[in-house]
Amino acid sequence: MEPNIHNFKALTAKAAKNKTLRATLRRGESHFRAGRDRGLGELPELDTRKSRARAVRLRTLANMPELLEKLEANVIEAGGMVHWAADAAQAREIIAEIGRKNGVSKVVKGKSMVTEEIGLNPALEAAGLEVVETDLGEYIVQLAEEPPSHIIAPALHKSREEVAELFEKELGHSATEIEELTRIARDVLRDKFLNADMGVTGANMAVASTGSVVLVENEGNIRMSTTCPRVHVAVMTLEKVVDTPDDMADVLQLLPRSATGQRLSTYTNCITGPRRRDEADGAGQFHLVILDNGRSRIMNDPDLRETLACIRCGACLSYCPVYGTVGGHAYGWVYSGPIGALLGPQLTSLEEAADLPMACTGCGACAEACPVGINHPEMLMTMRRRLARKNPTATALSTAMAHPAMWRAGAGLARLLDADLSKLSRAPGMGRLARFAARRNLPRLRTPFSKRWPALREELKKERHS
Amino acid sequence: MTARSDILTRLRQGLADAPVSTPLVPDRPEPFFTADWDTLAESFERVHVGFTLVDSPEAAQAALRDLMAAENVATASLWDHPLLAALHVADTLEQAGVRIVSGACCTEAAEVDCGITTADAVLPEAGSIVVRALPSQPRSTSLVPPLHVALVRKEDLLPGGVDDLPKMLTKWKRDGLLPSAVHCITGPSSTADIEQTHVRGVHGPTKVRVLGLDFPLRSCC
């Protein structure tokens, strides 16, 4: 998917006006919050659990190169093949080549944010392959030719009426109830699974010491995608690796609870290599694509690299007041909400995505919700500081604020010329500052308190005496 | 190979310049539930798994016959497992008019009404049946047919639940390798992707039924 990440303001304005979307977002928000609160609330010694999961993630960051090498060796030991991709283009080419070599014409896909990130579907389609998303939410957005709008609920922005209309138009089946709509998708996709040559999935984790990928899901589409087709390709980014099955268990105790409130998702799948020679089903080939696409650059940025500790439970989205108002599409790319505001600028460019770190109220609800203790607001502030250093207006303002005399002189002048700050947005030669003013309700510049105080004191005195 | 060495070199460089400090890890908490039938029954109820506890082989067979009749099962495929053999599951099904078919791959299993398995382990607090792929244990049996029936023994209940999974994975190694697939199945396949409304029965089974075998099985397994 092509990043439209520089367009946050326009997309936000559009989203904020969409009342249906806001109702849908509110419903999603209360659903996911209630689930998460229940799921984590049921787990005794939660702080210990969180500390353990956080430690797992930080060990991944600390030992990433060794863990990736260990993972590679053990995947190969289990009969799988490992491919390294520096960027999206390489990953697309690797996967298309696996398809070509194996005479693949039909591909089924499990839900995966990373394959959205690398724009895999259009690339495979251009190579002449049929590609079908099989997670219900992903299937809906694929039919609608829209990007997903939530990490764990891709079609969160769609109402049942919209899905019904879409199915009628694209599949020729009409239904109104959610159960019927689900059944229609099941029937169409069942056929796709049984005839597919290749299944492509992401990975929630990869266990270095056993060479396994761990995939968590509710629908069974990932099990179908790894069981029925001849070839299974799992795509992971560098930071998905953990060391041992014990590490996996520590993360599994929190991931589903924090995402949906389930103690475990319906299916927790641990896939190690291809099916063995004597087994009846399962993919006969297993390929693991280890993708960088900007992660090693993030790792080289000590102030921001904790972004990569994320386990993609989506809890930060459910608690973010900005996401809750504008939804996922406003972020203009695959990742939305607080984690998207962190990842987007780092995976594209801070300048291009400069609005994303600004779209944070600093309330800290995301950091509180995060099961592995990522401090999103702090890292977003770091990004803002970096942006401000390159911004002449911000630099001028901060210099003035640091020098009281300069600030008083400036404020006095402004008070004289435009006390209501109403002309600022139209003032010639004010460029960036004028644009800043145009989008905001600015306060009136009032007389400083020190000057108002003598009169105020007299007034209060009189009140007390009367 | 250049992508590989570039990535690893860059990671090593970054970590050499500024290592990541890792915190001390607190001990894993003790199990917080009792691994018994009651805990399991309660968990199964939450995740919409029908659960019947039976106290003898005869009761198990009767429960199976009832289940096949109630769900209108005409064809079933089952794992080649000593526990199912000891309980004469195949004979029981045939007596109930159910035809046994191989169903050892997806296309075959797609024609079958019911898949019958045992459990390699059970997670009592999550309400999960853990199955591993083996030559005698195809993956499709618990996945493709609309009804999945699992027979579980009390000794399969893991006292630590999810925390005990790593231990089991190690135990299940063959030739130094984990099974090609291990699945924790927690209820029928489900989705909430449209308006967060929960619907059971998507790509996997619509129904999961478990028989808890509450009697000693000396002759087998």
Side-chain angles (χ1 to χ4, degrees):
Chain A
M1 153 181 196
E2 279 302 307
N4 188 15
I5 207 158
H6 56 280
N7 211 9
F8 184 75
K9 281 187 194 117
L11 293 171
T12 301
K14 192 174 145 209
K17 280 186 201 140
N18 183 342
K19 283 190 182 155
T20 325
L21 173 69
R22 292 176 70 173
T24 312
L25 287 170
R26 251 195 307 279
R27 189 177 50 234
E29 183 180 272
S30 61
H31 171 84
F32 285 114
R33 283 188 187 183
R36 174 192 170 276
D37 291 352
R38 188 190 60 240
L40 289 180
E42 285 172 351
L43 190 63
E45 299 185 64
L46 181 59
D47 287 342
T48 307
R49 296 283 181 183
K50 284 183 179 174
S51 303
R52 287 185 63 89
R54 178 174 172 76
V56 169
R57 297 305 299 144
L58 292 183
R59 281 202 302 277
T60 286
L61 301 192
N63 307 308
M64 198 178 281
E66 294 74 30
L67 290 179
L68 289 170
E69 282 172 328
K70 197 200 280 192
L71 174 68
E72 176 187 43
N74 284 319
V75 168
I76 293 169
E77 181 70 28
M81 279 167 265
V82 177
H83 313 262
W84 298 73
D87 55 27
Q90 277 186 17
R92 291 192 298 257
E93 182 46 38
I94 288 165
I95 298 164
E97 181 61 25
I98 295 171
R100 266 193 297 276
K101 269 193 186 157
N102 289 288
V104 168
S105 65
K106 292 181 169 122
V107 179
V108 282
K109 278 191 66 218
K111 187 177 98 63
S112 130
M113 300 307 287
V114 68
T115 56
E116 289 280 348
E117 177 187 322
I118 62 173
L120 182 62
N121 293 10
L124 292 182
E125 281 161 5
L129 304 182
E130 181 197 83
V131 186
V132 184
E133 293 288 350
T134 60
D135 171 85
L136 179 59
E138 285 283 349
Y139 183 57
I140 291 168
V141 296
Q142 187 186 32
L143 284 179
E145 296 180 17
E146 287 171 12
S149 71
H150 189 283
I151 295 178
I152 62 171
L156 182 73
H157 60 287
K158 282 246 178 285
S159 67
R160 88 174 72 184
E161 290 78 15
E162 289 170 310
V163 176
E165 206 175 298
L166 183 69
F167 279 14
E168 168 94 56
K169 183 167 151 253
E170 298 295 328
L171 305 174
H173 293 288
S174 62
T176 49
E177 294 307 309
I178 292 172
E179 286 78 6
E180 295 172 77
L181 292 166
T182 305
R183 203 163 310 122
I184 291 170
R186 175 191 166 109
D187 291 345
V188 174
L189 292 172
R190 177 53 74 104
D191 196 50
K192 302 289 181 192
F193 286 123
L194 296 179
N195 292 300
D197 308 297
M198 180 160 99
V200 178
T201 68
N204 293 89
M205 279 180 270
V207 185
S209 65
T210 61
S212 314
V213 294
V214 181
L215 293 152
V216 172
E217 54 150 349
N218 285 314
E219 294 185 4
N221 61 313
I222 290 178
R223 282 190 73 189
M224 292 296 281
S225 300
T226 56
T227 300
C228 303
R230 300 179 267 129
V231 181
H232 172 203
V233 180
V235 188
M236 64 173 277
T237 44
L238 307 180
E239 78 281 12
K240 296 288 177 184
V241 68
V242 300
D243 192 359
T244 63
D246 269 305
D247 290 345
M248 170 198 80
D250 282 329
V251 174
L252 276 182
Q253 285 283 16
L254 292 181
L255 174 59
R257 290 177 196 267
S258 186
T260 55
Q262 293 164 287
R263 292 174 181 181
L264 275 186
S265 303
T266 304
Y267 301 114
T268 304
N269 311 303
C270 179
I271 307 286
T272 310
R275 79 172 187 220
R276 305 296 134 77
R277 225 177 274 281
D278 46 4
E279 287 171 7
D281 55 9
Q285 273 184 39
F286 174 75
H287 298 264
L288 180 63
V289 180
I290 301 178
L291 170 70
D292 184 343
N293 210 28
R295 271 73 181 181
S296 62
R297 196 175 57 232
I298 299 179
M299 277 296 289
N300 284 4
D301 189 339
D303 294 331
L304 298 180
R305 64 186 170 200
E306 249 191 55
T307 307
L308 299 179
C310 175
I311 58 171
R312 299 282 188 279
C313 67
C316 58
L317 277 65
S318 313
Y319 286 82
C320 176
V322 178
Y323 179 90
T325 309
V326 301
H329 285 162
Y331 291 79
W333 203 35
V334 197
Y335 306 104
S336 53
I339 190 64
L342 281 172
L343 270 174
Q346 295 186 78
L347 292 178
T348 58
S349 86
L350 184 55
E351 284 68 32
E352 197 188 334
D355 289 329
L356 263 53
M358 302 301 174
C360 167
T361 65
C363 72
C366 48
E368 206 165 300
C370 179
V372 293
I374 295 174
N375 193 337
H376 313 72
E378 192 179 278
M379 289 194 278
L380 291 169
M381 281 298 165
T382 301
M383 289 184 182
R384 287 189 191 187
R385 267 194 295 278
R386 290 180 187 176
L387 281 166
R389 267 184 229 122
K390 295 180 192 162
N391 177 339
T393 317
T395 314
L397 263 174
S398 81
T399 313
M401 284 171 178
H403 297 84
M406 204 191 285
W407 176 253
R408 270 198 294 273
L413 186 66
R415 204 174 289 121
L416 197 68
L417 296 174
D418 183 16
D420 294 342
L421 293 180
S422 56
K423 298 175 200 131
L424 185 61
S425 60
R426 285 167 282 129
M430 297 305 278
R432 202 186 285 264
L433 198 58
R435 284 200 298 279
F436 176 87
R439 284 193 310 272
R440 284 168 175 80
N441 295 319
L442 297 178
R444 286 191 312 134
L445 286 175
R446 303 186 59 179
T447 319
F449 189 72
S450 56
K451 294 224 170 110
R452 281 185 283 135
W453 175 235
L456 190 60
R457 189 170 53 187
E458 287 307 310
E459 217 173 290
L460 288 170
K461 250 188 210 165
K462 264 185 238 161
E463 246 176 56
R464 207 180 314 149
H465 290 307
S466 65
Chain B
M1 287 312 261
T2 57
R4 179 185 189 277
S5 55
D6 285 355
I7 292 167
L8 293 173
T9 308
R10 208 171 311 133
L11 288 175
R12 290 209 161 89
Q13 187 59 51
L15 286 164
D17 293 346
V20 175
S21 57
T22 51
L24 285 176
V25 189
D27 285 341
R28 186 175 271 161
E30 291 296 307
F32 52 94
F33 55 87
T34 326
D36 59 14
W37 291 125
D38 287 344
T39 305
L40 185 62
E42 204 178 296
S43 305
F44 275 158
E45 199 179 327
R46 291 166 59 110
V47 297
H48 310 282
V49 170
F51 179 58
T52 313
L53 199 58
V54 289
D55 58 8
S56 69
E58 294 71 31
Q61 288 152 3
L64 261 181
R65 278 193 297 269
D66 291 349
L67 189 54
M68 295 299 115
E71 299 293 339
N72 292 316
V73 174
T75 52
S77 56
L78 54 153
W79 278 1
D80 177 13
H81 192 283
L83 176 61
L84 301 184
L87 289 171
H88 308 292
V89 169
D91 294 343
T92 308
L93 293 179
E94 271 166 4
Q95 284 158 21
V98 176
R99 195 159 53 85
I100 310 280
V101 288
S102 133
C105 66
C106 290
T107 31
E108 281 180 38
E111 304 299 318
V112 174
D113 297 332
C114 170
I116 302 180
T117 71
T118 59
D120 289 299
V122 176
L123 313 177
E125 185 261 352
S128 311
I129 303 152
V130 187
V131 295
R132 65 185 151 140
L134 283 175
S136 55
Q137 302 188 169
R139 304 182 198 187
S140 3
T141 315
S142 62
L143 172 65
V144 182
L147 170 66
H148 173 207
V149 177
L151 279 64
V152 310
R153 300 167 307 173
K154 197 170 176 191
E155 54 265 44
D156 297 326
L157 274 58
L158 301 183
V162 174
D163 290 337
D164 283 349
L165 265 182
K167 204 163 62 189
M168 297 310 291
L169 291 177
T170 310
K171 196 179 136 187
W172 292 333
K173 279 189 175 178
R174 278 201 298 161
D175 305 325
L177 296 177
L178 290 196
S180 62
V182 174
H183 306 285
C184 305
I185 301 171
T186 314
S189 80
S190 67
T191 185
D193 271 352
I194 306 175
E195 295 191 355
Q196 291 77 58
T197 302
H198 197 255
V199 179
R200 287 191 290 281
V202 198
H203 304 299
T206 306
K207 289 180 180 174
V208 179
R209 298 285 178 262
V210 172
L211 294 188
L213 310 177
D214 193 25
F215 52 88
L217 279 142
R218 256 171 272 105
S219 60
C220 83
C221 341

